[in-house]
DNA sequence: CGGCTTGCTGAGCAACGCTCAACAAGCTAC
DNA sequence: GTAGCTTGTTGAGCGTTGCTCAGCAAGCCG
């Protein structure tokens, strides 16, 4: 049916690393438009210009593939959120919160897809997401110099869910100024952890 | 392989309503153990003792089937949360919150599966969940006699996310007494909406 | 019994995840 | 330059799953 043997593609050979990166990249680009579970191997292979079989050479299973994609998305966000080295502790949470809002503003679609895909369905994917949240809680607890109790952990986690939802909603329909939003989030976190 | 034509099942014929209800019921029972997307038509049909084809007679598509299941789950919870008629308004939110905690305590697995399945993947299923949340926000705004602004709506929605996460965590590992939890949730909601 | 409604089935198609044996691109060794 | 090795790459094909369709049969009516 489809002329897969186009004459202008003389069988390009890539290094293993390159190919892997390319496939993950394609996954990242597809994420916003396609629910994770509906992402088909066929489609990814087609976009990469390779056969289905090759994808299974790099990722033994479909699940393995899209957990890799999810992890890549998480890493991108994490990298963006992390404070510049040397930032004084009391400014770290402040800055991360600010950058998180910026992240959601910029990559609204992608971020929503990430959160959705992570929360729903597959446990493996959910785990990647949970790791990220746990790391965020970790940072919050240490830089705010809070006691590392189960209670505090739960409160910060719940606050994260609160922040995520509010920022998502706010990005879709701004009901206050950006500084007001940030102040509100900080305020709630402050009250909760005291 | 499987002897599907057991002699002791002399082709039982059910009314359309009964069959539909049975199929949805099976879906509800399967939900806690099976991520929504992994729920296969084959399995459901097998448990119901019918052919795959019949399921497609009642639900034109798989999606239609498990949105029906999700909606049934949402209705069950909603029914449980609704205050008894005649309850004075100032006690309604109080009672619903209490019953919600109870609901999560009792059906932790099922509820988690519901939230997960709803948040993730399929937009149609997500819609069912969003409806429920919207209805909850509606009730909260009216019984608390709050102005129905976009801002208030967002805050209550975000608080719902907060409550959901905290209650879920707390049910898994109780870090405070039940009344303390309820008081905390009420307090946060109260501060937010003022 | 004949005829009607309607719950119900089996065969089969297309799409998808996944396997496997084999091909071939690019490098090194002689 | 050609023999040989490594390894990126493919095509054919299998099992499962969502979905279709033509037709069977259970129960009811006359």
């Amino acid at each position: 049916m489809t002329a897969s043997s186009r004459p202008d593609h003389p069988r390009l050979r890539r290094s293993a690393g390159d190919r892997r990166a390319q496939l993950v990249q394609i996954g990242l680009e597809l994420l916003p438009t396609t629910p994770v579970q509906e992402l088909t191997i066929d489609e990814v292979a087609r976009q990469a210009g390779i056969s289905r079989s090759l994808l299974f050479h790099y990722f033994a299973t479909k699940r393995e593939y899209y957990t890799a994609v999810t992890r890549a998305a998480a890493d991108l966000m994490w990298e963006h959120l992390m404070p510049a080295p040397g930032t004084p502790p009391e400014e770290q949470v402040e800055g991360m919160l600010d950058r998180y809002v910026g992240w959601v503003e910029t990559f609204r679609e992608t971020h929503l897809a990430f959160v959705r895909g992570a929360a729903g369905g597959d446990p493996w994917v959910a785990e990647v997401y949970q790791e990220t949240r746990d790391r965020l809680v970790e940072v919050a607890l240490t830089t705010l110099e809070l006691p590392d109790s189960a209670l505090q952990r739960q409160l910060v986690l719940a606050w994260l869910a609160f922040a995520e939802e509010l920022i998502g909603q706010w990005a879709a329909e701004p009901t206050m100024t950006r500084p007001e939003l940030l102040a509100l989030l900080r305020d709630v976190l402050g009250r909760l952890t005291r």
Side-chain angles (χ1 to χ4, degrees), chain A:
Chain A
M1 295 299 160
T2 57
S4 61
S5 56
R6 281 285 164 71
D8 45 325
H9 272 310
R11 191 69 104 69
L12 191 62
R13 217 181 139 106
R14 297 207 188 192
S15 80
D18 280 5
R19 195 55 97 187
R20 254 189 100 95
Q22 181 206 16
L23 293 174
V24 169
Q25 184 57 37
I26 289 177
L28 282 177
E29 284 159 16
L30 253 38
L31 252 195
T33 65
T34 323
V36 196
Q37 306 277 3
E38 282 180 25
L39 197 147
T40 104
I41 294 291
D42 249 356
E43 178 63 14
V44 178
R46 210 180 49 72
Q47 290 220 13
I50 61 171
S51 66
R52 262 158 296 154
S53 320
L54 189 56
L55 209 152
F56 283 106
H57 177 71
Y58 290 105
F59 305 92
T61 162
K62 187 193 177 180
R63 175 143 62 194
E64 195 178 314
Y65 171 63
Y66 61 61
T67 45
V69 172
T70 306
R71 179 153 274 128
D75 287 348
L76 276 179
M77 188 183 78
W78 183 257
E79 199 179 325
H80 181 256
L81 291 190
M82 280 314 284
T87 309
E90 66 273 17
E91 291 176 19
Q92 288 191 9
V93 168
E94 180 75 32
M96 287 179 69
L97 201 47
D98 185 57
R99 283 190 295 278
Y100 181 65
V101 173
W103 179 264
V104 177
E105 282 179 305
T106 314
F107 302 106
R108 186 164 151 58
E109 303 282 303
T110 313
H111 185 256
L112 211 84
F114 170 58
V115 173
R116 290 247 155 115
D122 197 288
W124 296 65
V125 179
E127 202 185 312
V128 175
Y129 182 54
Q130 193 54 45
E131 278 175 27
T132 307
R133 301 182 101 192
D134 286 343
R135 282 201 285 179
L136 283 171
V137 172
E138 207 62 41
V139 172
L141 287 181
T142 58
T143 65
L144 291 178
E145 294 180 353
L146 294 167
D148 187 356
S149 68
L151 176 59
Q152 291 287 1
R153 227 170 248 277
Q154 289 186 357
L155 288 174
V156 177
L157 255 178
W159 173 83
L160 258 183
F162 171 79
E164 230 164 50
E165 181 71 33
L166 186 58
I167 296 173
Q169 294 283 336
W170 175 84
E173 184 187 1
T175 50
M176 45 186 146
T177 68
R178 202 172 189 283
E180 279 172 353
L181 174 66
L182 285 169
L184 174 61
L185 289 172
R186 250 177 312 160
D187 184 53
V188 173
L189 179 59
R191 286 183 192 278
L192 273 177
T193 54
R194 248 185 300 104

